[in-house]
Amino acid sequence: MVLLAAATSSCGTRAATPDDGHPAAGDSGGSPAPDLSPVVRLGFDDARLQGDRVITHNDASTQVQVRVLTAGKGSVSVVPGSGGGRGLRFPDVSRSATPPRAVLAVTTKESVDRVNRLSPGHHDFEFGARFLLDPASEIGQKDNGNNLVQRGLGDDLSQYKLQVDHRRVSCRIAGDLGGVEPKSKMAVDAGHWYSATCARVGRTVTLSVRRLDNRQLDRVTVRGDTGSVTASGSTPLAVGGKVTDRGEVIRLNSDQFNGSVDDVFLEIAADD
């Protein structure tokens, strides 16, 4: 199945604000907020199925294409979202030897032309999403995590990632100087919508997690050098699990997200 997104200046996507749990980057350790430019803003409020495609808009200036990579008869579906709109539903957890897998792989048209719009490099940036976790989302070592948004894998030189493991949200930003991994102390309650954002400002990485129905907020800041966060232009921004830099879904130990996802975004500071 293929999900296509076209650039637009206005659509059903809700704007990210600090009250939504998408903090201004200036919230990160008191650093001045950089001028961030939206690269990916997928709200899914206008999403619709069309044959083997889902059509939606990217509320940013970047032309993107989003494929749904599947294995084991996995699929995504359009479901109610976090604020009365729409979101996307990912597969249930499974004990099968060939469990269902479905991961969104976001790539930019510019990546074909070797323009790496999804790589922050040395710039400040933030990324995140809203999510609703299933009551059953982990089984042994085969499926013991829920990857929310990421680009790159753990063994890669460059990675940025948000995940929900053992009901705790964490993020990782790693570049050519090292990695920083803040982890929330707030336990995620299944069946409730949350927002999660990870922001890098200079040497500071801040993870913000907010439960949307009661506004409970946890914010964790860690300092450390990460350097340039740069990957191959062909490396997708993945939503809901792990994919390779060639755009292939990882079938085992994929950390398949079990639940619903809404309002995926990536913002990167503009060039000086």
Side-chain angles (χ1 to χ4, degrees):
M1 178 162 49
V2 177
L3 185 153
L4 300 177
T8 181
S9 59
S10 62
C11 70
T13 306
R14 288 175 294 277
T17 67
D19 287 341
D20 286 334
H22 299 168
D27 289 340
S28 302
S31 303
D35 182 15
L36 296 179
S37 297
V39 177
V40 174
R41 280 182 176 270
L42 300 175
F44 307 120
D45 286 350
D46 62 343
R48 68 185 190 277
L49 294 170
Q50 189 177 81
D52 63 350
R53 298 183 299 167
V54 179
I55 307 300
T56 191
H57 286 89
N58 181 30
D59 193 19
S61 61
T62 308
Q63 292 279 354
V64 301
Q65 176 174 288
V66 186
R67 294 180 296 148
V68 181
L69 308 178
T70 64
K73 298 182 179 180
S75 65
V76 299
S77 58
V78 180
V79 295
S82 62
R86 298 176 181 177
L88 292 183
R89 166 76 199 181
F90 290 80
D92 296 339
V93 70
S94 172
R95 295 183 180 275
S96 170
T98 57
R101 302 296 190 220
V103 181
L104 304 187
V106 183
T107 54
T108 67
K109 180 180 179 180
E110 289 85 350
S111 67
V112 177
D113 302 322
R114 301 179 184 275
V115 178
N116 208 334
R117 294 296 307 276
L118 299 176
S119 284
H122 291 282
H123 297 295
D124 296 332
F125 72 105
E126 62 181 338
F127 63 102
R130 294 178 175 185
F131 68 91
L132 177 74
L133 190 66
D134 285 349
S137 63
E138 298 182 18
I139 295 177
Q141 294 300 312
K142 180 184 296 185
D143 188 352
N144 62 356
N146 290 270
N147 287 11
L148 187 58
V149 180
Q150 71 182 86
R151 187 166 189 251
L153 300 174
D155 292 336
D156 295 341
L157 178 62
S158 171
Q159 183 189 50
Y160 53 90
K161 173 182 180 180
L162 269 167
Q163 61 186 3
V164 189
D165 288 353
H166 316 306
R167 297 179 59 210
R168 296 290 195 279
V169 179
S170 62
C171 77
R172 179 175 188 261
I173 294 179
D176 60 2
L177 295 183
V180 175
E181 302 182 35
K183 182 176 181 179
S184 173
K185 299 179 179 63
M186 181 170 65
V188 169
D189 290 329
H192 296 274
W193 279 99
Y194 290 79
S195 66
T197 298
C198 190
R200 180 183 74 174
V201 178
R203 297 182 63 252
T204 299
V205 176
T206 296
L207 170 67
S208 299
V209 182
R210 187 188 295 274
R211 179 168 157 171
L212 297 182
D213 58 358
N214 65 9
R215 316 306 290 172
Q216 181 183 5
L217 173 67
D218 186 35
R219 186 166 291 163
V220 180
T221 298
V222 178
R223 293 181 63 84
D225 289 323
T226 53
S228 179
V229 180
T230 304
S232 166
S234 64
T235 304
L237 178 69
V239 180
K242 296 177 182 178
V243 300
T244 68
D245 60 0
R246 296 182 178 180
E248 299 171 342
V249 64
I250 294 178
R251 297 171 183 248
L252 297 177
N253 300 318
S254 67
D255 291 343
Q256 172 71 61
F257 188 86
N258 307 124
S260 300
V261 177
D262 197 1
D263 288 343
V264 176
F265 77 97
L266 167 66
E267 299 183 350
I268 301 175
D271 291 328
D272 297 331

